[in-house]
Amino acid sequence: MARDHRYDVLFEPVRIGPKILRNRFVQVPQCTGFGSEKPGAQARHRAIKAEGGWAAVCTEYCSIGPESDYTPSVSARLWDDDDVRNLAPMCAEVHAFGSLAGVELWHGGVEVSPSETRMVPRAPTQVPSDGLHYSRPLTYPREMDRADIREVQQLYVAAARRAMQAGFDIIYVYGADSYLPIQFLSTYYNKRTDEYGGSLENRARFWIETLELVREVAGDSCAIAARLAVEGLGAKGVGLDEGLAFVELADHLVDLWDVKVGSRPNVGDTTSSRFAGENWQAKWTSQVKAHTVKPVVGVGRITSPDTMVKIIESGQWDLIGAARPSIADPFLPRKIEEGRLDEIRECVGNNICTLRANWGQQIACTQNATAGEEYRRGWHPERFAKADNADRDVLVVGAGPAGMECAIVLARRGMRRVHLVDAAPALGGHLLAVARLPGLGEWARIVNYRQIQLDKLRNVEVILRTRLDAAAVREYGAEIVVIATGARWATDGLNHVTNASIPGAEGKHVLAPENVLDDPDQAGEHVLVYDAEGYFMGAGLAELLAARGRHVTLASPHGAVSPMSDLLHEGIELRQHLRRDCGVALKPQTRLVAIQNDNCVLRDENESEFQLSVDTVVLVTMRIPNDSLLRELRSDSEALTRERIEGAFGIGDCVAPRLLADCIFDGHRLGREIDSAQPGTPLPFLRERCLAPVKEPADQLYTA
Amino acid sequence: MSCPGEGARRSALHGLTPAKRWLRDSRAYKRTNGPNDRHGAILKLVVCVKQIAILGDEVEFTADGRDVNPEHLGHSLNEWDACATEVALSWREQHGGGEVVVVTSGDRKAETALRRCLAMGADRAIRVESASIDPISVARGLAQAIRDEGPGLVLCGVQSSDSGQGSTGSALAQFLGLPCVAVVSSLEWNGFGPAIVKRELDGGLIDVLEVDTPALLTVQTGINRPRYATLRAIKLAEVREIAVVASRDDRAPAYRVRRMFPPQKGNGAQILKGGPEEIAQQIAGIIKERLR
């Protein structure tokens, strides 16, 4: 289908310095966990976005020298010619699709703890990072003298030269969130009294000089960009006034302003959908345009083409920047261009990408199971090879996230018929209820997107309100059976802290999360939510019940309530919100020892027991797989053979409860490999790693 | 056995591959015929069904501008007809037998709809070979085939979701000389006496009618939830023989399509502007205004 003319403006080319963006879509710098160490994965991940229509595709933060080392978090690196060699394929592949490649030259200053290189980080002043202070204590930077400043600036220059050799078109001098150039700009970090400290002009000097140097190297062959948290949202960055003033000071030196807001510890610009809706940064970043003559790109998890048009037409920015929306749907621009709006896989903002990429793992995405798998497994988000056994019929039992995803992939692989059967009256499994938890509404996109695709696939039939037992599954007439029956919450308090149930859990006033989601009003006035899992359910139910006027205590054996949320960049805000806005009493480091009729016995971090008087206890402890159907089917392989069933496979929570992203991945993986010799076992993937020299005996390697 | 239906079924399964034999032996295939009508013959319920076209994302017209390019069409059993089939099948189950015969009009491609009904559990299928698309010609063709069956009840869907004429049923009743009740939402019938049917009227009123049988009823969606067909039943239905009856109607079609086109966009739409909350308020205001 053709593009709706409403969206024409999004496809206008934009000049940035010597380069031309073919449209207004920019994948701003975004972590992958690939860096320069996994050149294949890096290149394919970015190339698929170029193919999907992003006019520019950038690396993640790219270290300019060994002192900017944040291991085990993975950055790209441009330290030497071998790094050039490893990043060049990304540029070549991105260019092949007519897009520009951008690199984000990065010096972390105080915000690194160089555990691989064992160097001392250099910073404007010896002010330790407040964030690192908790996670990686004893990281003191060294204050830079003038010689250090020249040396570090030459690292930028050398890295810029290498970037040009690799083939990059856009060179960032990266400041935001709180890296070296911003550290010079911010009075929080910069206490200098020389010409690099004090007035704004002085604090801006380092960044401006560095931009001048990099610009000189780049000449007319590259566009120069600066990424700036124009409002620091806290003491560490700069306030909006100074942010805008800096834009004016440096405007002649940049071809592109990439603007965002700053980071507080664990609350980055990657704020979760719980706390930030689409285009949430506009309040601050929309003000930049008035202070520059250069093109401006901003972010804010923008997935709606109508919002994008509004952003351009209102003059908010010139370009639509995206990290997370481009991970969830690398083909977002092309789908707008081709009028396939209902095929856009919108980011749900649950920050699994952040969790994975920031913590030394490779990128993953809840919505897009192919993210990070483009090279090593050869998965393309939009292309599906016809299965060798496409003449088979498949029965998928369970239409939760894993089952829906698997059915879609199987259908796209051309399986003759795919029947997706569920006992519930609607698609989505447990996620339907989860998305009704406060703040998690966007998670429903996981179901909605898949429901729309299933509806379009002509070889899929969705059968609801139908519960199949093992006999019915065997008699169903499918050659391949997939079981995706999900999990349920333990009702006896079984938890992974004690690996035992909780005495008294059988009491009538004890509810499982499902009970509360079905009917929150059955909870009494005083409620204890005991969250031994540490993700969204405990916090979500506490908020849900508090919103209904209950007095809620949220106890957790973990060091902090909902520790997962810290990894997802929402922990501090979430706890603040629960305490301050919802009136929930938080009791971390507290174990539930026993439940009595109107009392709970709890044990605090000092091992002293205390009692809490409650009317209702909600146990969010452990999830138990609904695996009876899978077990029954697999235990009688003769019956399967008799019914001509070639394989019965489990996916998702019914195998082992896990993250949504991993459930969807599991369903996707099975669909991708349904025609392998053993579909139940993942095929080996390409591993990018160093191999020992072939000719040298191993012992010589260590004695040399 | 000389029953033609049985004979057809046998021949279809003759010389089967092991896979097809396995299909035949499965439970879904075995079926018994139950109650008889007052003359001792097996009671028949005939259901008229249509294979409807579903528009895909893209719509393109044929060169003569009279139809949608078939490349962009999907096909399915009409939803109303699936409900009508379900009425017949559940009646057969409740009354311990009877024969459910599904009939359609069209070319070979239209058999997919019949096979879906067979997979749901219909006993027999007949296709009236015809190129007609106007409801009167279709009804005339169907009438020939149905008259030979001598059904106790003829069930049609209220309308088809693609052309939506809603007139095949009543035209067919006219050709068969049967009483007709349209838009039926409930059926009670013991197999020989008059049938009690309900119809939903405006304002939530229920109209209860008693109609002599044989009769023709057009069935409204919502009367039931059509059963699904297992993959096994679908595979079984694929090898079933479908009786083909030539249409004896040589009259010219009652109407011809002159042109098909998407309507021009009007200016009647009211575009609401503002944030989500403002827009929600405006929508609520409009609803309240209109309900008044």
Side-chain angles (χ1 to χ4, degrees):
Chain A
M1 251 158 88
R3 171 172 94 212
D4 190 317
H5 291 306
R6 276 184 296 175
Y7 307 127
D8 286 351
V9 69
L10 302 175
F11 294 89
E12 292 167 350
V14 177
R15 173 176 285 281
I16 49 166
K19 298 285 179 180
I20 290 180
L21 294 161
R22 63 180 154 127
N23 61 36
R24 295 185 190 267
F25 294 91
V26 175
Q27 181 244 288
V28 295
Q30 156 237 311
C31 287
T32 56
F34 300 139
S36 311
E37 316 298 315
K38 292 183 177 169
Q42 176 73 273
R44 281 311 294 154
H45 179 75
R46 309 293 180 185
I48 279 175
K49 296 193 196 195
E51 185 190 354
W54 301 88
V57 180
C58 298
T59 61
E60 54 270 75
Y61 54 173
C62 180
S63 166
I64 58 172
E67 65 197 74
S68 194
D69 163 28
Y70 200 36
T71 312
S73 297
V74 179
S75 74
R77 289 170 171 176
L78 273 173
W79 298 354
D80 57 26
D81 291 345
D82 287 343
D83 287 329
V84 172
R85 179 171 150 181
N86 275 9
L87 288 176
M90 168 187 160
C91 298
E93 288 203 33
V94 165
H95 290 159
F97 291 106
S99 301
L100 304 181
V103 65
E104 188 182 30
L105 299 187
W106 166 70
H107 189 295
V110 26
E111 293 290 346
V112 292
S113 56
S115 55
E116 183 184 349
T117 61
R118 306 187 73 165
M119 292 176 77
V120 174
R122 282 185 274 198
T125 330
Q126 195 173 59
V127 177
S129 157
D130 61 341
L132 284 180
H133 187 67
Y134 296 104
S135 59
R136 304 183 193 185
L138 286 177
T139 306
Y140 293 90
R142 175 162 74 78
E143 182 172 318
M144 294 160 89
D145 59 23
R146 285 197 183 82
D148 286 317
I149 289 176
R150 302 288 162 259
E151 211 177 292
V152 168
Q153 285 174 333
Q154 285 311 308
L155 288 177
Y156 278 99
V157 168
R161 284 211 179 89
R162 292 192 190 102
M164 291 163 68
Q165 280 169 27
F168 285 103
D169 310 280
I170 307 170
I171 299 177
Y172 274 74
V173 179
Y174 182 59
D177 309 40
S178 56
Y179 296 122
L180 189 61
I182 282 274
Q183 289 161 25
F184 269 96
L185 206 57
S186 154
T187 53
Y188 177 92
Y189 294 106
N190 186 347
K191 315 283 187 199
R192 299 176 75 98
T193 52
D194 61 3
E195 70 273 26
Y196 289 96
S199 68
L200 177 68
E201 284 71 16
N202 280 0
R203 284 181 276 125
R205 193 176 311 280
F206 174 81
W207 202 345
I208 286 180
E209 282 177 0
T210 309
L211 280 165
E212 280 167 352
L213 290 166
V214 170
R215 201 169 177 90
E216 206 178 300
V217 172
D220 286 338
S221 56
C222 283
I224 304 298
R227 196 164 209 212
L228 164 69
V230 71
E231 160 60 60
L233 291 183
K236 282 165 69 176
V238 292
L240 187 61
D241 289 352
E242 290 202 334
L244 297 173
F246 178 75
V247 169
E248 291 187 9
L249 283 174
D251 206 34
H252 62 292
L253 295 170
V254 307
D255 301 312
L256 170 67
W257 283 108
D258 181 343
V259 291
K260 55 188 239 171
V261 297
S263 303
R264 303 194 292 284
N266 296 323
V267 188
D269 63 338
T270 49
T271 300
S272 67
S273 58
R274 189 197 289 276
F275 294 115
E278 184 175 57
N279 198 19
W280 67 283
Q281 299 192 7
K283 181 179 162 188
W284 302 283
T285 55
S286 64
Q287 303 192 38
V288 174
K289 277 282 285 171
H291 298 267
T292 172
V293 294
K294 303 294 172 62
V296 175
V297 62
V299 291
R301 222 165 42 79
I302 298 151
T303 55
S304 152
D306 296 309
T307 306
M308 295 172 189
V309 168
K310 212 160 81 183
I311 286 169
I312 304 301
E313 289 186 341
S314 68
Q316 179 181 320
W317 309 321
D318 305 284
L319 301 162
I320 304 298
R324 287 174 290 175
S326 77
I327 301 166
D329 198 340
F331 272 57
L332 196 158
R334 233 166 96 176
K335 287 176 182 175
I336 299 172
E337 169 118 59
E338 292 168 6
R340 297 187 288 138
L341 301 191
D342 58 353
E343 290 177 31
I344 294 175
R345 231 177 359 253
E346 287 183 284
C347 171
V348 301
N350 67 353
N351 280 2
I352 295 305
C353 50
T354 303
L355 167 78
R356 303 262 312 188
N358 279 12
W359 295 83
Q361 308 164 5
Q362 69 155 32
I363 194 167
C365 173
T366 303
Q367 276 281 58
N368 174 13
T370 69
E373 307 295 347
E374 301 91 346
Y375 177 79
R376 66 174 193 169
R377 291 184 210 264
W379 293 356
H380 189 286
E382 304 296 317
R383 279 201 288 278
F384 296 82
K386 183 156 189 171
D388 292 339
N389 54 355
D391 59 340
R392 308 297 206 280
D393 292 331
V394 190
L395 168 65
V396 181
V397 183
M404 291 175 94
E405 177 75 7
C406 190
I408 290 172
V409 175
L410 289 167
R412 290 192 171 149
R413 296 209 60 202
M415 303 306 287
R416 185 162 61 158
R417 282 175 289 234
V418 179
H419 278 207
L420 177 60
V421 180
D422 199 286
L427 291 168
H430 79 295
L431 192 55
L432 285 181
V434 167
R436 288 200 301 270
L437 284 170
L440 303 190
E442 280 196 28
W443 292 27
R445 289 175 173 181
I446 295 166
V447 179
N448 297 344
Y449 163 76
R450 285 170 180 76
Q451 185 163 359
I452 292 166
Q453 310 318 310
L454 285 166
D455 200 38
K456 290 176 163 208
L457 289 161
R458 289 179 185 159
N459 50 348
V460 175
E461 196 169 326
V462 174
I463 296 155
L464 298 170
R465 298 184 175 86
T466 302
R467 189 178 290 279
L468 300 177
D469 60 15
V473 169
R474 283 191 289 252
E475 292 229 329
Y476 199 88
E479 286 88 23
I480 297 168
V481 171
V482 180
I483 304 298
T485 40
R488 63 191 183 277
W489 288 92
T491 52
D492 60 355
L494 180 66
N495 63 85
H496 45 251
V497 182
T498 61
N499 199 24
S501 54
I502 295 171
E506 66 284 351
K508 283 204 178 91
H509 60 312
V510 180
L511 301 176
E514 291 96 336
N515 306 132
V516 183
L517 289 167
D518 281 352
D519 177 16
D521 290 329
Q522 60 186 308
E525 194 187 340
H526 293 272
V527 184
L528 169 70
V529 177
Y530 181 59
D531 178 15
E533 193 199 43
Y535 191 18
F536 62 84
M537 187 58 81
L541 292 177
E543 183 173 352
L544 180 77
L545 290 168
R548 289 168 175 264
R550 306 304 196 276
H551 298 281
V552 183
T553 303
L554 176 56
S556 156
H558 303 105
V561 167
S562 189
M564 266 292 284
S565 61
D566 288 313
L567 308 182
L568 299 165
H569 282 194
E570 60 174 8
I572 290 175
E573 258 181 317
L574 177 62
R575 286 185 286 271
Q576 238 172 40
H577 174 66
L578 287 171
R579 241 186 335 247
R580 191 187 54 202
D581 309 331
C582 309
V584 174
L586 302 185
K587 291 203 183 300
Q589 298 191 42
T590 304
R591 290 186 197 179
L592 178 57
V593 178
I595 303 167
Q596 294 158 355
N597 274 345
D598 45 9
N599 248 333
C600 286
V601 181
L602 296 137
R603 187 179 296 148
D604 70 14
E605 56 183 305
N606 300 315
E607 298 291 316
S608 31
E609 287 190 1
F610 64 100
Q611 297 205 333
L612 188 72
S613 169
V614 290
D615 306 306
T616 301
V617 179
V618 182
L619 293 177
V620 186
T621 54
M622 212 176 208
R623 287 186 292 160
I624 313 294
N626 296 327
D627 59 358
S628 56
L629 179 59
L630 181 63
R631 282 170 182 269
E632 196 179 338
L633 288 170
R634 291 180 68 102
S635 66
D636 192 350
S637 58
E638 275 175 31
L640 293 179
T641 313
R642 204 163 48 238
E643 299 293 344
R644 295 176 180 266
I645 295 172
E646 295 163 8
F649 310 106
I651 53 170
D653 283 341
C654 80
V655 177
R658 59 192 110 168
L659 277 180
L660 260 170
D662 290 328
C663 286
I664 291 172
F665 170 83
D666 205 20
H668 192 102
R669 206 262 337 139
L670 182 65
R672 288 275 183 177
E673 298 178 356
I674 199 68
D675 48 356
S676 75
Q678 284 183 294
T681 307
L683 289 171
F685 50 80
L686 282 174
R687 295 166 62 200
E688 295 186 78
R689 56 184 157 163
C690 303
L691 295 175
V694 180
K695 285 177 187 163
E696 289 176 63
D699 52 350
Q700 280 181 21
L701 278 177
Y702 301 107
T703 53
Chain B
M1 287 237 262
S2 60
C3 166
E6 280 295 299
R9 189 179 293 175
R10 286 255 165 72
S11 67
L13 289 165
H14 181 70
L16 291 178
T17 60
K20 299 257 171 78
R21 206 168 295 128
W22 157 82
L23 279 169
R24 180 195 60 190
D25 295 340
S26 65
R27 284 196 313 199
Y29 187 78
K30 291 169 185 157
R31 196 170 306 293
T32 54
N33 289 327
N36 300 341
D37 68 9
R38 71 193 88 174
H39 307 295
I42 291 170
L43 187 68
K44 289 179 189 173
L45 287 87
V46 166
V47 187
C48 302
V49 302
K50 179 180 178 186
Q51 173 143 311
I52 50 98
I54 304 169
L55 289 180
D57 288 347
E58 299 195 28
V59 180
E60 229 174 62
F61 295 97
T62 48
D64 61 6
R66 289 183 184 177
D67 206 347
V68 178
N69 187 342
E71 267 178 41
H72 299 294
L73 294 175
H75 293 95
S76 171
L77 171 62
N78 183 33
E79 189 187 351
W80 281 265
D81 304 343
C83 292
T85 306
E86 179 61 41
V87 168
L89 294 174
S90 43
W91 190 92
R92 189 187 66 193
E93 277 165 9
Q94 277 162 21
H95 296 83
E99 189 182 26
V100 175
V101 182
V102 285
V103 188
T104 196
S105 164
D107 62 11
R108 220 185 144 73
K109 286 183 210 145
E111 288 184 3
T112 314
L114 292 176
R115 293 194 190 282
R116 165 53 55 147
C117 300
L118 290 171
M120 286 170 74
D123 298 289
R124 208 147 50 77
I126 301 168
R127 174 169 64 86
V128 177
E129 176 72 48
S130 166
S132 304
I133 53 160
D134 72 279
I136 306 299
S137 306
V138 166
R140 200 180 283 123
L142 291 172
Q144 292 164 2
I146 294 168
R147 207 174 284 123
D148 298 341
E149 294 289 333
L153 209 57
V154 179
L155 300 163
C156 296
V158 167
Q159 61 178 13
S160 60
S161 63
D162 54 357
S163 56
Q165 298 263 10
S167 42
T168 306
S170 41
L172 179 58
Q174 165 73 17
F175 290 129
L176 291 172
L178 295 180
C180 174
V181 183
V183 202
V184 168
S185 60
S186 148
L187 166 69
E188 276 174 53
W189 185 46
N190 62 11
F192 44 88
I196 311 289
V197 298
K198 288 182 185 165
R199 306 167 69 238
E200 277 178 26
L201 304 180
D202 255 7
L205 291 181
I206 303 284
D207 189 20
V208 184
L209 301 173
E210 192 179 285
V211 57
D212 290 337
T213 59
L216 186 143
L217 312 177
T218 72
V219 171
Q220 177 64 305
T221 56
I223 187 172
N224 53 37
R225 195 170 287 135
R227 69 195 59 194
Y228 67 95
T230 64
L231 286 161
R232 178 169 305 204
I234 290 170
K235 287 172 186 171
L236 259 172
E238 275 179 351
V239 297
R240 294 279 296 277
E241 188 143 306
I242 288 172
V244 181
V245 179
S247 173
R248 278 164 283 175
D249 180 21
D250 49 7
R251 271 175 278 193
Y255 69 65
R256 294 151 297 281
V257 177
R258 291 182 63 179
R259 206 177 141 221
M260 215 180 253
F261 60 95
Q264 282 203 323
K265 281 182 188 165
N267 300 320
Q270 183 184 352
I271 310 283
L272 304 179
K273 288 189 174 159
E277 277 172 34
E278 290 166 79
I279 290 177
Q281 271 180 2
Q282 291 178 56
I283 292 172
I286 292 170
I287 292 170
K288 279 182 199 160
E289 169 91 24
R290 300 278 158 97
L291 284 178
R292 206 172 282 150

